[in-house]
Amino acid sequence: MHSTGNIDASDDEPLYYSEGAKLPSNAPAWAVAASERLKKRRENGYRSSCNPPTGVTKVLLHSCCAPCSGAMVEEMSSSPQLEKVVVFFYNPNIHPRKEYEIRKNENKRFCTQLGIEFVDCDYDPENWYERMKGMEFDPERGQRCTECFDMRMERTALYAHENGFHAIATTNATSRWKDAKQVDGSGYRAAARYEGLKYWCQDWQSDEMTLRKYEISAKERFYKQEYCGCSYSLRDSNDWRKANGIPKIQIGGEVAGLGDRYFSDPLVDAAEESQDVVDEFFSQASEIAKAGADVKQRKRSLMLYKDRRKHEKDDGIINGLNNW
């Protein structure tokens, strides 16, 4: 299906960096190199770089949101080896319902635009909270996140098994805010429940994929999410913001609590998800998580965030806080 779903800039819009648009003089080296590699691929007749597992022609792609879907959908839909790619939206972790609807509807619109089938699964947060009991104060990337991935991939695998798909995959694997090994582990366990079903594991966080992800997100002006999605992520993010005098997260609307509401510049947006930013966030988040439900200790731990690099008051640049 290498022609369906290709995402191209129209004649009256600026070209993507990967299609010849000039990169700014201060563009990071990884973006320059990725842009050149993508341009060469297109000059030679664009072919997808993805490698489906042997024998796989029908893929059910679990999607967490539109920004994480863009480049992955493009790669899959332009693969000559695949006959069918369907996007499956099952994310009962997202809270509140307003945020859930924003993320779902944007994802649905994007798929409709590309002619990609979109499956809207049930929103059952009650089951999600039941499964997360006892893990309310786990850190990001902790056991609660594993259970969350497991729950979503189990439902994805069941639908794939019942509807004749050969493999499952997830857009969670594109985000540097996620632990790829943790995400892939959930995918493998879910697929193993059904004979013949495979989990498609690949490096979806390459520089080329990252550049395309942000180019597409900027072109589509996707909504920027200010936290991972669940109520616990929302709580912890707002706790940190309060301790540092930063406006709380805003759900929907045209103005974000911090930073831009929509993706607009691929390189600026990508900087908010740089490996340095991500590594710093998780090292500090783990320290706070050690306090558990102890409110006083959590407040003391939150003070450690005051000098966090992602809030650079001196030069007025604020990065990395609202791009999940």
Side-chain angles (χ1 to χ4, degrees):
M1 58 180 300
H2 54 280
S3 60
T4 303
N6 228 8
I7 306 166
D8 297 317
S10 63
D11 293 338
D12 59 350
E13 292 178 324
L15 289 172
Y16 292 126
Y17 296 129
S18 57
E19 294 177 332
K22 187 176 180 180
L23 285 157
S25 59
N26 62 345
W30 73 264
V32 174
S35 177
E36 288 303 315
R37 288 193 293 270
L38 284 167
K39 280 191 285 187
K40 288 180 180 178
R41 280 176 54 190
R42 290 181 182 279
E43 289 169 1
N44 295 329
Y46 182 81
R47 293 287 290 267
S48 172
S49 64
C50 65
N51 299 301
T54 303
V56 169
T57 61
K58 298 178 181 179
V59 177
L60 185 64
L61 175 61
H62 168 267
S63 178
C64 56
C65 61
C68 287
S69 299
M72 202 165 175
V73 167
E74 179 180 68
E75 284 294 299
M76 288 186 173
S77 64
S78 61
S79 171
Q81 297 168 263
L82 298 178
E83 298 175 0
K84 185 176 184 180
V85 177
V86 173
V87 170
F88 185 75
F89 193 84
Y90 176 64
N91 300 286
N93 56 306
I94 300 175
H95 172 89
R97 182 67 181 258
K98 181 179 179 180
E99 179 80 6
Y100 172 84
E101 294 294 340
I102 291 170
R103 298 189 191 189
K104 183 187 75 172
N105 290 332
E106 183 173 64
N107 207 330
K108 187 175 182 179
R109 173 185 62 79
F110 181 61
C111 287
T112 299
Q113 178 179 310
L114 299 179
I116 302 292
E117 184 179 346
F118 180 88
V119 177
D120 182 359
C121 199
D122 294 336
Y123 181 56
D124 55 348
E126 296 81 8
N127 288 333
W128 186 86
Y129 280 109
E130 182 64 29
R131 186 156 177 169
M132 302 305 138
K133 278 186 177 180
M135 296 175 281
E136 293 85 352
F137 291 95
D138 276 17
E140 294 284 346
R141 294 187 176 180
Q143 185 58 36
R144 186 182 70 236
C145 290
T146 296
E147 290 292 336
C148 183
F149 292 138
D150 281 350
M151 182 175 181
R152 289 184 281 169
M153 293 311 294
E154 286 165 10
R155 182 65 66 90
T156 304
L158 174 61
Y159 187 93
H161 170 70
E162 293 178 339
N163 290 275
F165 289 90
H166 305 145
I168 58 173
T170 177
T171 62
N172 278 311
T174 70
S175 175
R176 288 173 176 165
W177 290 103
K178 309 300 182 195
D179 182 334
K181 290 182 179 179
Q182 188 178 38
V183 171
D184 291 337
S186 293
Y188 280 120
R189 285 191 294 276
R193 290 167 167 251
Y194 306 101
E195 185 176 356
L197 184 63
K198 298 179 180 179
Y199 172 68
W200 185 352
C201 177
Q202 183 169 312
D203 178 13
W204 301 106
Q205 296 180 20
S206 67
D207 288 344
E208 290 94 328
M209 285 289 291
T210 297
L211 181 60
R212 285 301 292 143
K213 171 181 175 179
Y214 288 110
E215 285 183 332
I216 294 167
S217 292
K219 177 179 182 293
E220 298 295 330
R221 293 194 78 245
F222 284 147
Y223 171 83
K224 274 190 181 180
Q225 299 148 193
E226 299 189 66
Y227 61 107
C228 182
C230 77
S231 61
Y232 307 126
S233 172
L234 178 60
R235 173 201 64 203
D236 292 345
S237 296
N238 274 330
D239 277 353
W240 177 83
R241 289 185 177 206
K242 184 177 180 180
N244 288 278
I246 298 172
K248 70 177 183 179
I249 289 167
Q250 294 297 311
I251 306 298
E254 292 299 309
V255 179
L258 178 66
D260 297 330
R261 175 80 290 172
Y262 302 102
F263 288 89
S264 59
D265 185 313
L267 298 185
V268 172
D269 297 333
E272 295 178 354
E273 198 183 56
S274 72
Q275 198 60 56
D276 287 343
V277 168
V278 173
D279 289 346
E280 181 183 9
F281 172 82
F282 285 110
S283 67
Q284 294 176 334
S286 294
E287 288 301 314
I288 286 182
K290 291 177 182 177
D294 186 329
V295 177
K296 290 184 179 180
Q297 183 57 41
R298 285 177 66 82
K299 286 182 177 179
R300 284 194 290 269
S301 297
L302 281 165
M303 298 307 291
L304 297 174
Y305 274 164
K306 278 192 171 181
D307 296 324
R308 183 175 173 183
R309 184 181 59 77
K310 285 181 280 182
H311 187 213
E312 300 173 358
K313 294 181 180 178
D314 293 340
D315 59 11
I317 298 174
I318 300 174
N319 289 326
L321 291 173
N322 64 331
N323 185 1
W324 281 81

